[in-house]
Amino acid sequence: AQLNEQTTFKSATTKTLISAFQQNLDGNLHYIPPVVLKCDNKFGIKHYAGDVEYTVDSFLAKNMDSMYYDIKKVMATAACSLIKVLFAPDVEAGESAKRPPSITTQFKGQVHSLIEQLSKCKPHYVRCVKPNDAKKAGLVTMERMVHQVEYLNMKENVMVRRAGYCFRMPFKGFVARFKAICKNTWPLPESDDMKAATVSILTSGQMTTWSQSSPILMQEGVDFKLGKTKVFIKDPQSIFLLESSRVAAMPGVVEVIQKDARRYVYMTLFRVQRLGFIKAQANMRQYLCTKHYHITLNYIENIQCHVRGFIHARRMAAHRRQFKNKPPRTFATKLQACFRSYAAKCNLEEAKYTRLKEATELIKVARARYDAETLIGARWRCRAQHRKYVGDLKHVIVVASRMRGMLHRIRARKKREEEYNTWLKTFKETGVKITKFSHTRNPVTGVKIRAAIHTFKVIDPEEGGASNEGVRLAWIGGGVFSKGKKGLPLGDVVSLHRGVHQSLKDHFDSDAEEIKDADLHLYMNITNSAQGKDEDKVLILRADSNWERERFFRVLEKLCLDASYAPEQTQTGKVGPKPMMKLARPPPPPPSK
């Protein structure tokens, strides 16, 4: 246990192992400390054969087993039978999936299994002595052999055997072996008490007839003793006497067994032959009875024929006397008349039965036709009602679907209005950050386009002080048309488009970062007629995401549409509607395959 405990520690060394032994085993009579041996890495154990010294160097390393249980389990599933045997997991030794057991734990488990196997049988030990250390034939070293005999404890075993009882055996085994030499125990003991049967064999002196030996008369306590489960015999001569009596009784026992075996064989043969004779007698009696039955039946049939002939002759004589001995033709005419009368009656009954059968068939046919007509009519009415029901159901489904569609459209419109109001509120309060592209014209360098992030807000007419210009779009840093903080009137927007403007495509390459994501771009065309300029301007924007671009586009689209229908003051002083703004709708999605 101390060795296993030290093995689990990573910082364990030889000194810690020796100190653990010294701490737990100090005071034990069989333990020899390192101080007595005058060595730091040794300890001793006092055996009955002498003192043994052990060196603890590499004890910890040799006690570790790096083969984990999972590896053994995997290797045990190999197809090769040799690998299965080599890596068979020993669960009884204490192996687990967490940590492999140590060498001492495995050895302890193997010793326990060996003790369990030995306890189930009766082991007999054979002491082997080596005659010499050179492993040569014909060479005997007496000193080496005497040393082995002393250390194998053979001398003490012989002395114990001489001082005690040389023979011991359980009562049941003793009675089973020597019951043939005593009348009281052959063939079975008088009682189930095996101890009493053992005493009877050793002390009664009543030998069987075939034992042919002197009576066995032993005294309890002198020649033998009885334990709880075994009998102990002291003198070997008593054992020899019992064995000789048993050997002398064996021929008689064999004769009894042979006699019983022959009796069983002949009784079995007799039963088989007796059954055969009984079966042969039964078959013979059956044959004789069948033959007698057929002969008797022939006699009876002959007697019946003669009796029937005599009866018919008497009846014929009576008929002749009735017809006053007229010729046989008279009998034939009378018989024919009777036969024709019987045939007419039979034909009349048959005709009545035939007509009744035909009428029954006609009734069945009429009833079948009526049932078929009724079934066809019921089926037709059922089909008509089903068609009417299906038509009504379709109308109801169409109306319900239209109502649901109208409700969904109303809900979607309300939801869009709510989203629009939420987005518009965001535009008015906090604004939206979007990248704006600006054009810079220089006579030397030409036209340059730069991008900057601006915060765009929607300003109501009341907030900026210019209520006659309508809703405006302002951004931090000023407008492109020198609008400043007043913003851009959305009524000046001519058109609103999704996608990349042509000026960006002409200025940048096709793989440039500025125009790489076309789904994020939008631009609006703005008129400069209010400023006295004929050339229109364009405002180019790029959002951070497609969702942001779409939200900005929809808010501007709604505001621009509202601003395009706002009444404006014409040059003649009349109020009229503004022209409708042109908006670029997104293309429809491609049809699904």
Side-chain angles (χ1 to χ4, degrees), residues 303-315:
I303 293 171
Q304 287 177 351
C305 289
H306 290 293
V307 171
R308 280 196 295 270
F310 176 73
I311 292 172
H312 285 302
R314 291 191 63 181
R315 286 180 181 177

Side-chain angles (χ1 to χ4, degrees), residues 113-130:
S113 62
L114 178 61
I115 292 173
E116 290 179 359
Q117 294 179 2
L118 292 176
S119 62
K120 296 178 183 178
C121 56
K122 298 179 181 178
H124 297 277
Y125 299 97
V126 178
R127 306 291 184 180
C128 298
V129 180
K130 294 192 295 184

Side-chain angles (χ1 to χ4, degrees), residues 174-445:
F174 185 84
V175 172
R177 183 172 181 81
F178 298 105
K179 67 179 181 179
I181 63 176
C182 182
K183 290 182 179 181
N184 299 333
T185 57
W186 179 260
L188 294 174
E190 297 177 355
S191 63
D192 295 336
D193 190 2
M194 296 292 107
K195 187 174 183 180
T198 302
V199 174
S200 179
I201 293 172
L202 296 174
T203 61
S204 64
Q206 298 180 3
M207 309 301 291
T208 54
T209 56
W210 54 71
S211 60
Q212 299 178 1
S213 61
S214 59
I216 299 176
L217 296 172
M218 298 184 185
Q219 294 181 4
E220 184 177 356
V222 179
D223 297 324
F224 69 93
K225 282 187 178 181
L226 298 176
K228 291 184 178 180
T229 59
K230 292 182 179 181
V231 57
F232 299 87
I233 300 176
K234 188 173 184 179
D235 191 4
Q237 298 297 329
S238 302
I239 302 300
F240 297 153
L241 179 60
L242 288 172
E243 291 293 338
S244 62
S245 300
R246 181 177 177 274
V247 171
M250 281 296 104
V253 175
V254 171
E255 290 179 1
V256 172
I257 295 174
Q258 289 178 349
K259 181 174 64 176
D260 292 339
R262 283 193 295 270
R263 182 175 62 84
Y264 172 76
V265 171
Y266 285 115
M267 284 298 296
T268 304
L269 182 61
F270 168 73
R271 292 192 184 96
V272 172
Q273 291 178 354
R274 184 172 178 273
L275 290 176
F277 282 120
I278 291 172
K279 190 173 182 180
Q281 290 175 358
N283 292 332
M284 181 58 68
R285 283 194 296 270
Q286 180 185 4
Y287 172 73
L288 294 177
C289 291
T290 304
K291 186 177 180 181
H292 179 68
Y293 168 74
H294 286 296
I295 292 173
T296 306
L297 185 61
N298 290 331
Y299 289 153
I300 292 172
E301 288 178 353
N302 291 332
I303 293 171
Q304 287 177 351
C305 289
H306 290 293
V307 171
R308 280 196 295 270
F310 176 73
I311 292 172
H312 285 302
R314 291 191 63 181
R315 286 180 181 177
M316 184 59 67
H319 282 299
R320 280 183 174 274
R321 287 194 300 272
Q322 183 180 359
F323 289 97
K324 298 178 182 180
N325 294 325
K326 289 182 180 182
R329 185 173 57 187
T330 306
F331 299 106
T333 304
K334 187 68 175 177
L335 289 174
Q336 288 176 359
C338 293
F339 178 75
R340 282 194 296 271
S341 175
Y342 175 75
K345 290 180 180 180
C346 291
N347 292 333
L348 180 61
E349 295 294 334
E350 186 176 357
K352 289 181 180 181
Y353 176 74
T354 303
R355 291 178 183 178
L356 182 61
K357 188 175 181 180
E358 291 176 357
T360 305
E361 292 294 335
L362 291 174
I363 292 172
K364 288 183 179 179
V365 171
R367 185 174 295 173
R369 289 181 179 178
Y370 175 76
D371 293 341
E373 291 175 358
T374 305
L375 181 61
I376 292 171
R379 292 284 178 88
W380 186 85
R381 288 192 296 273
C382 179
R383 186 174 180 82
Q385 292 295 328
H386 180 70
R387 287 182 177 179
K388 183 180 178 182
Y389 168 74
V390 171
D392 296 341
L393 183 62
K394 287 182 179 178
H395 289 306
V396 172
I397 292 173
V398 169
V399 173
S401 63
R402 289 179 180 177
M403 291 295 295
R404 285 194 297 271
M406 184 175 64
L407 292 175
H408 285 310
R409 287 192 293 274
I410 292 172
R411 291 172 184 171
R413 185 169 63 253
K414 290 181 178 180
K415 187 175 181 180
R416 288 196 298 272
E417 291 177 357
E418 292 176 359
E419 291 179 356
Y420 171 75
N421 294 329
T422 304
W423 295 345
L424 183 60
K425 186 178 180 180
T426 304
F427 275 109
K428 289 181 179 182
E429 294 178 356
T430 60
V432 179
K433 292 184 179 181
I434 298 180
T435 303
K436 185 174 75 67
F437 293 92
S438 302
H439 295 71
T440 304
R441 292 177 175 83
N442 193 335
V444 179
T445 60

Side-chain angles (χ1 to χ4, degrees), residues 530-546:
Q531 300 178 4
K533 298 180 181 180
D534 296 334
E535 184 181 0
D536 294 339
K537 297 297 182 180
V538 62
L539 181 61
I540 304 172
L541 305 175
R542 185 184 67 185
D544 293 337
S545 62
N546 191 7

